[in-house]
Amino acid sequence: MNDSRVIMNVQDTDTRQNNFSEVELGYTKKEAIKEANRCLHCLNPRCVEGCPVGIKIPEFIKYIKEDNIKKAYEVISSASALPAICGRVCPQEKQCEGKCIKGLKGEAIAIGALERYVADYAIENNLSSIKSNNKNGKKIAIIGSGPAGLTCAGELAKNNYNVTIYEVLHEAGGVLTYGIPEFRLPKEIVKKQIDSLINLGVDIKLNVPIGNAIKIEDLKKEYDAIFIATGAGLPKFMGIAGENANEVFSANEILTRINLMKSYKDDSKTPIKKGKVAYVIGGGNVAMDAVRSLKRLGIEAHLMYRRSEEELPARKVEVKHAKEEGISFDMLQNPQKILTDEDNHVIGMEVVDMVLGDVGEDGRRSVTENNDFIHIVDCDMVVMALGTSPNHEALKDSNIKLDDKGLIIVDNTKTSMDNVYAGGDIVTGSATVILAMEAGKKAAQEIMNKIG
Ligand code: FAD
Ligand code: SF4
């Protein structure tokens, strides 16, 4: 019997290179039921162990089999506030699907694709949660509207707390809105997921930077508890010569300009200065998003990574899609210097070949430069995607304790300041959507335990 996983349809390669529409098209009802029928409904489901928010996976898959999607959605939404997002961007291959028993001898159940199917059905059919008018009088402030802040808000609102989110940007969603591109995560989906929290009664105040006119101390006077979820959005650079040239960007800047400000459109007020040949330096999801976005702007786009393709930290599916789209993968190479003309415009890079060594304590292979092999590449745009660190604007004058990497120190989710909690990338450093959500959920529980 053929027990292959049902493959999701995607936009064809030639078309998608020229647009920002979603690449993966989702399951049809027939495909979802067929995939659901592959599940064994294990008595001790390993998939659930792999899910940071503990979704009862076999249970929701059973309802898909029975074509009872409303019930399937109830199961998922009791554990996750953002299933249409998780279904699309969670690294399932390392989590639920990575643990699925079917994966031991064949292909794991496509849990992410099934979750997405149910969540999209819920959006299309307006199955979102209903606002509770029975508020308990307790007020909670959340700083930051990324997945950590949104999840914490959803949990508290469901339990009748008055929740206000403060967000510095003019749109809510954090990285979901300004970082992950439309072709992986449509902004309409993010907006609908946020709308379902607003329906629950969550108040989102946009364009409010905490740390300046309003500080944490001010919020403490008005709210019973505070959850800090400000992420880690400060880009890192290499510190090499030429990095201050006009056409050297951080991946965050490029992605924000493209996703949030639509700077590629002809009528954009903040148009992006497009080069002809761009190199994105890095190998994670952020690098992959940046290089695939540049390709869609008609730029010859290269990904330069100092290790080999095997070590790329990006999701395998993103690597596959990037290759299909014609991105050039320049592996085992690293820039040493960015070359500029007399007006400080980028004209190329001096690049050194790299050599892989043994696996180190961090589980990754070490890498060294081979100075016998240095060459020049021509380009007029360089994008650094080397990770990010936390921005402490919100914490100004608060003396909340930080570790030596500048991350907030927490006990579970409690900070060193009374009634102030923190979670997501501001605590872990750059991580994943689902880990940020897990932290948001834990913080909500701790807050409820503490203030009743
Ligand atoms: P964020 O999402 O960063 O949200 C923090 C929010 O706080 C922002 O909206 C910010 O504007 C706001 N804020 C900051 N300072 C203040 C202040 N002083 N006052 C008010 N508001 C403030 N993870 C995955 O699981 N899968 C992926 O495919 C994936 N792809 C990624 C692609 C990119 C380009 C990037 C950058 C990250 C990606 N990640 C991915 C990682 C994931 O998005 C993050 O781990 C996650 O968003 C962290 O959530 P958070 O809520 O902690 O912070
Ligand atoms: Fe189904 Fe796999 Fe979970 Fe077993 S481990 S219940 S087969 S999804």
Side-chain angles (χ1 to χ4, degrees), residues 22 37 65 94 110 113 169 178 182 185 191 237 269 301 305 313 345 360 365 380 382 393 403-404 419 428:
E22 194 170 16
N37 273 309
K65 271 188 194 177
K94 293 187 187 147
L169 294 177
Y178 76 75
E182 183 80 20
L185 180 60
K191 199 172 163 311
F237 285 86
K269 289 191 183 118
Y305 181 54
H345 291 299
R365 290 186 72 178
D380 51 7
V382 177
E393 200 64 15
D403 69 11
D404 52 6
N419 287 338
T428 54

Side-chain angles (χ1 to χ4, degrees), residues 48 61 75 141 189 309 311 326 340 358 364 396 445 451:
V48 180
I61 293 181
V75 174
I189 294 286
E309 193 178 321
E311 282 86 27
T340 54
D358 294 335
R364 305 181 73 193
K396 253 191 208 158
Q445 195 54 57
I451 68 171

Side-chain angles (χ1 to χ4, degrees), residues 22-51:
E22 194 170 16
V23 170
E24 296 188 312
L25 302 175
Y27 278 158
T28 60
K29 175 168 152 178
K30 199 171 155 202
E31 287 166 341
I33 293 177
K34 187 171 177 206
E35 181 62 17
N37 273 309
R38 295 181 59 234
C39 174
L40 303 172
H41 297 287
C42 311
L43 281 179
N44 293 311
R46 292 161 43 110
C47 52
V48 180
E49 286 166 31
C51 174

Side-chain angles (χ1 to χ4, degrees), residues 163-188:
V163 184
T164 306
I165 299 182
Y166 291 90
E167 167 58 52
V168 62
L169 294 177
H170 63 278
E171 277 189 40
V175 170
L176 307 174
T177 298
Y178 76 75
I180 305 181
E182 183 80 20
F183 55 81
R184 280 213 295 132
L185 180 60
K187 299 312 141 202
E188 197 48 33

Side-chain angles (χ1 to χ4, degrees), residues 1 63 70 105 162 212 223 235 311 435:
M1 197 185 81
Y63 285 123
K70 192 165 177 283
K105 286 195 180 154
N162 284 294
N212 295 299
Y223 293 92
E311 282 86 27
L435 289 178

Side-chain angles (χ1 to χ4, degrees), residues 45 50 54 65 74 83 106 152 155 163 177 183-184 192 201 204 239 249 255-256 258 268 318 339 351 365 373 408 414:
K65 271 188 194 177
E74 276 172 29
C152 185
E155 287 295 311
V163 184
T177 298
F183 55 81
R184 280 213 295 132
K192 293 248 170 74
I204 305 184
F249 302 90
L255 289 167
T256 305
I258 293 175
S268 165
E318 307 308 331
L339 308 172
V351 173
R365 290 186 72 178
F373 290 93
I408 297 182
K414 225 185 136 321

Side-chain angles (χ1 to χ4, degrees), residues 88-91 143-150 166-169 171-176 178-181 184 208-212 229-233 251-252 255 259 285-287 289-290 315 318 388 391-395 423-426 429-437:
R88 286 172 165 83
V89 303
C90 271
I143 314 173
S145 67
L150 293 173
Y166 291 90
E167 167 58 52
V168 62
L169 294 177
E171 277 189 40
V175 170
L176 307 174
Y178 76 75
I180 305 181
R184 280 213 295 132
V208 187
I210 300 301
N212 295 299
T230 46
N252 268 29
L255 289 167
N259 290 325
N285 286 322
V286 180
D289 283 345
R315 293 186 70 192
E318 307 308 331
T388 49
N391 177 341
H392 296 132
E393 200 64 15
L395 310 182
D425 282 4
I426 186 71
S430 312
T432 61
V433 171
I434 195 76
L435 289 178
M437 288 175 62

Side-chain angles (χ1 to χ4, degrees), residues 248-262:
V248 179
F249 302 90
S250 71
N252 268 29
E253 179 182 348
I254 286 289
L255 289 167
T256 305
R257 279 165 173 269
I258 293 175
N259 290 325
L260 200 60
M261 293 143 95
K262 310 286 177 230

